[in-house]
Amino acid sequence: MCYRILLVLGALAGATLGCGAPESAPDPGMVWIPEATSGGFWMDATEVTTAEFGAFINATGYTTEADSFGWSGVFSTAEQAWLPVTGANWRYPQGPAAAAAAPDQPVTQVSLRDAQAYARWAGKRLPTEAEWMQAATQGGRYHNYPWGEDMLPDGTYRGNWWQGPFPYSDEVRDGFPGVAAVKQFSPADNGLYDMAGNVWEWTATERAATGENVIKGGSFLCSTSYCTGFNLQQKQYTAKDSGLNHLGFRCVAG
């Protein structure tokens, strides 16, 4: 109930009251996430979009690691493999021969350093894995998905992932053959969108044994036959300099 009150008040007034939340968000697109130890924190309601990341690039002149390298990783359904594609970057996540990313799509082809640079510019930071899970599980109420324990409640898709045998055939039952714009599915009870599916999300949590960072949430390339990353209990580890066309991020504050 607290989550629902915060969501409604935030939508109507741009501020939240009660439940231990501060009176106003540092950014109107953020949601308050209560947490027992710290009291809580703010989290972006959506993944950072191409338009938002573009504003950061225009304001700072920042060069992403993919642009520095001159290439980045793109999954090819034709070759059923990850390929290094020359010129792939946040503007052209599948390479310059493909369409540019739409402004309302989650930005991808960003490394951990790129995501952290954006977060600092925005006055925010990346969530830890524990914070990400606190938000995604609705404060621990759910184990498997942000919306409950059933993958398809009432037979309805609540996120963007691969339907069918990966990587041979995507049946597109969720309506999206690749990355989707943000807010194409109903939000979770706390007002967060796309915490399962669409694109993986960087966290600030490092895997000490390898120096990689934890990524959470799964992507449009995850399927029940290969990668069930859209299940909240799953996670992957990715090298800090990786830029991939199914990996993005969202920020927290507080």
Side-chain angles (χ1 to χ4, degrees), residues 6 23 27 29 54 78 87 100 140 144 154 158 170 184 200 224 235 252:
L6 293 175
E23 291 186 356
D27 182 311
N144 292 327
D154 300 320
R158 298 289 299 272
D170 184 1
Q184 297 304 296
W200 285 96
T224 55
K235 60 183 171 185
V252 296

Side-chain angles (χ1 to χ4, degrees), residues 20-111:
E23 291 186 356
S24 61
D27 182 311
M30 302 189 86
V31 170
W32 178 251
I33 307 298
E35 198 277 324
T37 302
S38 66
F41 54 91
W42 296 97
M43 177 174 266
D44 289 341
T46 73
E47 293 130 346
V48 173
T49 64
T50 302
E52 290 168 332
F53 196 78
F56 157 64
I57 295 293
N58 292 336
T60 65
Y62 179 86
T63 300
T64 66
E65 291 200 269
D67 282 320
S68 295
F69 297 151
W71 64 275
S72 200
V74 176
F75 187 80
S76 169
T77 54
E79 300 195 33
Q80 300 175 4
W82 285 97
L83 303 176
V85 174
T86 299
N89 62 15
W90 68 273
R91 294 182 184 87
Y92 295 93
Q94 298 182 78
D104 57 356
Q105 288 180 349
V107 68
T108 60
Q109 297 294 14
V110 288
S111 69

Side-chain angles (χ1 to χ4, degrees), residues 37-240:
T37 302
S38 66
F41 54 91
W42 296 97
M43 177 174 266
D44 289 341
T46 73
E47 293 130 346
V48 173
T49 64
T50 302
E52 290 168 332
F53 196 78
F56 157 64
I57 295 293
N58 292 336
T60 65
Y62 179 86
T63 300
T64 66
E65 291 200 269
D67 282 320
S68 295
F69 297 151
W71 64 275
S72 200
V74 176
F75 187 80
S76 169
T77 54
E79 300 195 33
Q80 300 175 4
W82 285 97
L83 303 176
V85 174
T86 299
N89 62 15
W90 68 273
R91 294 182 184 87
Y92 295 93
Q94 298 182 78
D104 57 356
Q105 288 180 349
V107 68
T108 60
Q109 297 294 14
V110 288
S111 69
L112 179 69
R113 179 174 72 84
D114 301 335
Q116 290 173 327
Y118 172 91
R120 286 192 297 271
W121 173 78
K124 304 176 186 179
R125 59 183 173 83
L126 293 184
T128 64
E129 180 185 9
E131 287 173 330
W132 195 97
M133 285 293 287
Q134 173 73 10
T137 62
Q138 312 301 296
R141 281 192 293 144
Y142 301 135
H143 183 266
N144 292 327
Y145 306 100
W147 51 83
E149 303 309 323
D150 295 330
M151 180 177 171
L152 300 176
D154 300 320
T156 302
Y157 281 90
R158 298 289 299 272
N160 178 21
W161 57 80
W162 185 287
Q163 295 88 47
F166 181 85
Y168 307 105
S169 173
D170 184 1
E171 298 169 1
V172 198
R173 293 195 296 271
D174 58 15
F176 299 96
V179 66
V182 300
K183 295 187 177 181
Q184 297 304 296
F185 298 91
S186 299
D189 288 351
N190 59 7
L192 297 177
Y193 291 84
D194 302 318
M195 293 293 280
N198 213 24
V199 299
W200 285 96
E201 299 181 12
W202 282 109
T203 77
T205 299
E206 182 181 280
R207 186 187 195 187
T210 62
E212 299 168 300
N213 273 58
V214 175
I215 60 174
K216 294 290 294 183
S219 80
F220 62 89
L221 291 175
C222 285
S223 75
T224 55
S225 64
Y226 172 72
C227 158
T228 57
F230 42 78
N231 185 303
L232 298 179
Q233 301 308 309
Q234 304 300 322
K235 60 183 171 185
Q236 288 190 9
Y237 306 95
T238 300
K240 299 178 191 297

